[in-house]
Amino acid sequence: MEVILIKDVNKIGKAGTVVKVKDGFARNFLMPKGLATEVTPGNLKKLELDRQKLLLESEQRKVLANDLKARLDKFSLTISVLAQEDENLYGSIGEADICDALKKEGIEIDKSCLALDNPIKALGIYEIPIILHPEVKSKLKVWVVKK
């Protein structure tokens, strides 16, 4: 039996794909749990419309990400913090702190977009990779200075 997957199913396929599975598996597991629907001309048409809609939304997000990338490439962020005499910070600066500082500058970025390996624990200049879209990446220059 062929079904259209509504959600990702391990070892079967990703959402939006048409897969062939055994009748019992489809009727007793996939369909009752809302993981799949039967292949019909109407469902195939709906699947194609959903794909086009997702593609359009992805393109719009990519355009917005490119605009933000252009803005971030010209931007550097300065964060003032309390530090010891040996230039180590009393605390550390993480993704949430950077996002808050960017928000104060008028730039909204989700903290999951920041690819900060370890929290910043010393004064200095850092380049933080930012993943705005799977195809759009940028780097943010962060200056950590003593208060």
Side-chain angles (χ1 to χ4, degrees):
M1 171 181 235
E2 285 189 327
V3 295
I4 301 170
L5 293 177
I6 297 171
K7 297 180 182 174
D8 292 350
V9 180
N10 286 341
K11 299 180 184 176
I12 303 296
K14 294 194 176 265
T17 58
V18 177
V19 294
K20 188 170 183 129
V21 295
K22 294 191 177 187
D23 292 354
F25 183 62
R27 286 195 190 101
N28 297 326
F29 181 75
L30 294 175
M31 289 181 186
K33 293 197 180 258
L35 300 174
T37 185
E38 198 172 346
V39 173
T40 62
N43 286 342
L44 286 173
K45 188 173 183 179
K46 182 179 181 298
L47 174 67
E48 186 58 35
L49 290 173
D50 289 345
R51 281 185 185 161
Q52 290 174 359
K53 183 179 175 184
L54 286 174
L55 186 64
L56 182 64
E57 288 174 358
S58 177
E59 286 298 318
Q60 290 173 345
R61 283 193 305 269
K62 185 177 177 183
V63 168
L64 291 173
N66 279 324
D67 293 342
L68 187 56
K69 178 187 183 324
R71 187 172 174 194
L72 286 173
D73 287 343
K74 301 175 199 170
F75 184 77
S76 69
L77 180 67
T78 303
I79 300 176
S80 300
V81 293
L82 294 174
Q84 301 170 0
E85 291 180 20
D86 61 350
E87 297 189 354
N88 287 327
L89 306 182
Y90 282 112
S92 64
I93 298 173
E95 287 107 347
D97 301 318
I98 294 171
C99 288
D100 289 341
L102 283 170
K103 195 173 192 177
K104 289 177 185 173
E105 298 293 328
I107 299 173
E108 291 277 336
I109 292 181
D110 188 44
K111 73 176 186 176
S112 63
C113 294
L114 296 173
L116 186 62
D117 293 333
N118 297 315
I120 298 171
K121 296 183 178 183
L123 299 177
I125 303 169
Y126 299 90
E127 281 199 357
I128 311 296
I130 300 175
I131 303 168
L132 301 169
H133 185 271
E135 299 174 15
V136 180
K137 295 172 177 60
S138 180
K139 289 195 181 230
L140 172 67
K141 187 176 275 191
V142 177
W143 296 66
V144 180
V145 296
K146 196 171 189 175
K147 203 180 250 186

